[in-house]
Amino acid sequence: MGGFKHLVVVKFKEDVVVEEILKGMEKLVSEVDAVKSFEWGQDIESQEMLRQGYTHAFLMTFEKKEDYTAFTSHPSHIEFSATFVTAIDKFVVLDFPSVLAKSPA
Amino acid sequence: MGGFKHLVVVKFKEDVVVEEILKGMEKLVSEVDAVKSFEWGQDIESQEMLRQGYTHAFLMTFEKKEDYTAFTSHPSHIEFSATFVTAIDKFVVLDFPSVLAKSPA
């Protein structure tokens, strides 16, 4: 893997239908070639002391930082982001060159 | 990828030498076979509104949830965790089966 990562950790508002948000996100990544891979998950351990209200993580991988920068100004991303921010209660976003310290065998 | 993910998002205390923490973490994942892959990164966008003080993300991948559960009770993990918690100001931990919605070409 490696590459440049865009990580979003989220707590959604209570009345949000997460499946709809996910559909929009999957459409978005399918429309933007720069997004090399996209994976997400919902925390199942439910230890509030650890997750602190956050429930979902979304992780996109780009080949390089420039591709991520281009993605942020892509019309599909701008359109999706406008919807996304209305759905979330709180979030943390980290963008970083990934260091692969142990590779899959 | 896919698999079961253990995601830790962290803000370290100011006097912490992150390289030392990283060395300990790399030793830990090298000692535990259940950890299939490990990658990490430091946010370089520095948009405080987005990262909210958090600076580092650590992502471990396991084949299945049971492997992660075994990892949490591994002596090396227990030892490392005791050091780790003294080094961090705040953190978010999410554990989830990963859904790979877009694969690398």
Side-chain angles (χ1 to χ4, degrees):
Chain A
M1 295 291 278
F4 193 86
K5 303 280 181 182
H6 175 52
L7 170 68
V8 183
V9 172
V10 164
K11 179 190 180 185
F12 289 107
K13 288 180 183 161
E14 281 193 8
D15 57 346
V16 164
V17 181
V18 177
E19 287 70 23
E20 284 175 17
I21 302 291
L22 266 168
K23 259 186 221 167
M25 206 177 285
E26 289 179 357
K27 183 168 172 285
L28 168 65
V29 300
S30 73
E31 283 168 2
V32 184
D33 286 343
V35 182
K36 285 302 160 204
S37 72
F38 168 55
E39 56 183 328
W40 67 275
Q42 179 172 6
D43 177 74
I44 60 168
E45 293 287 291
S46 306
Q47 295 193 49
E48 282 306 329
M49 196 199 75
L50 296 178
R51 74 180 186 182
Q52 300 180 56
Y54 296 95
T55 55
H56 290 73
F58 303 96
L59 185 67
M60 294 181 192
T61 304
F62 301 81
E63 247 177 51
K64 53 188 189 300
K65 183 177 187 297
E66 290 69 25
D67 290 351
Y68 167 66
T69 307
F71 168 70
T72 59
S73 57
H74 191 290
S76 296
H77 180 259
I78 292 168
E79 189 188 335
F80 175 76
S81 297
T83 310
F84 190 67
V85 293
T86 66
I88 54 183
D89 185 2
K90 60 177 183 173
F91 65 100
V92 176
V93 179
L94 293 179
D95 300 298
F96 54 90
S98 174
V99 181
L100 188 57
K102 184 173 182 176
S103 303
Chain B
M1 297 291 278
F4 192 86
K5 304 282 181 182
H6 176 50
L7 171 68
V8 183
V9 172
V10 164
K11 178 190 180 185
F12 288 105
K13 288 179 184 163
E14 280 192 8
D15 58 346
V16 165
V17 182
V18 177
E19 287 71 23
E20 283 175 17
I21 302 291
L22 266 168
K23 260 185 220 167
M25 206 178 284
E26 289 179 358
K27 183 167 172 286
L28 167 64
V29 300
S30 73
E31 283 169 1
V32 185
D33 286 344
V35 182
K36 284 303 159 202
S37 72
F38 168 54
E39 56 184 326
W40 67 275
Q42 178 172 6
D43 177 74
I44 60 168
E45 293 288 292
S46 305
Q47 295 191 48
E48 283 305 328
M49 195 198 75
L50 296 178
R51 72 180 187 181
Q52 301 179 54
Y54 296 96
T55 55
H56 290 73
F58 303 96
L59 185 67
M60 294 180 192
T61 304
F62 301 82
E63 247 176 53
K64 52 190 189 300
K65 183 178 187 300
E66 290 70 25
D67 290 351
Y68 167 67
T69 307
F71 167 71
T72 59
S73 57
H74 191 288
S76 297
H77 180 259
I78 292 168
E79 189 189 335
F80 175 77
S81 297
T83 311
F84 190 68
V85 293
T86 66
I88 54 183
D89 185 3
K90 58 178 182 173
F91 65 99
V92 176
V93 179
L94 293 179
D95 300 298
F96 54 90
S98 174
V99 180
L100 188 57
K102 185 175 181 175
S103 303

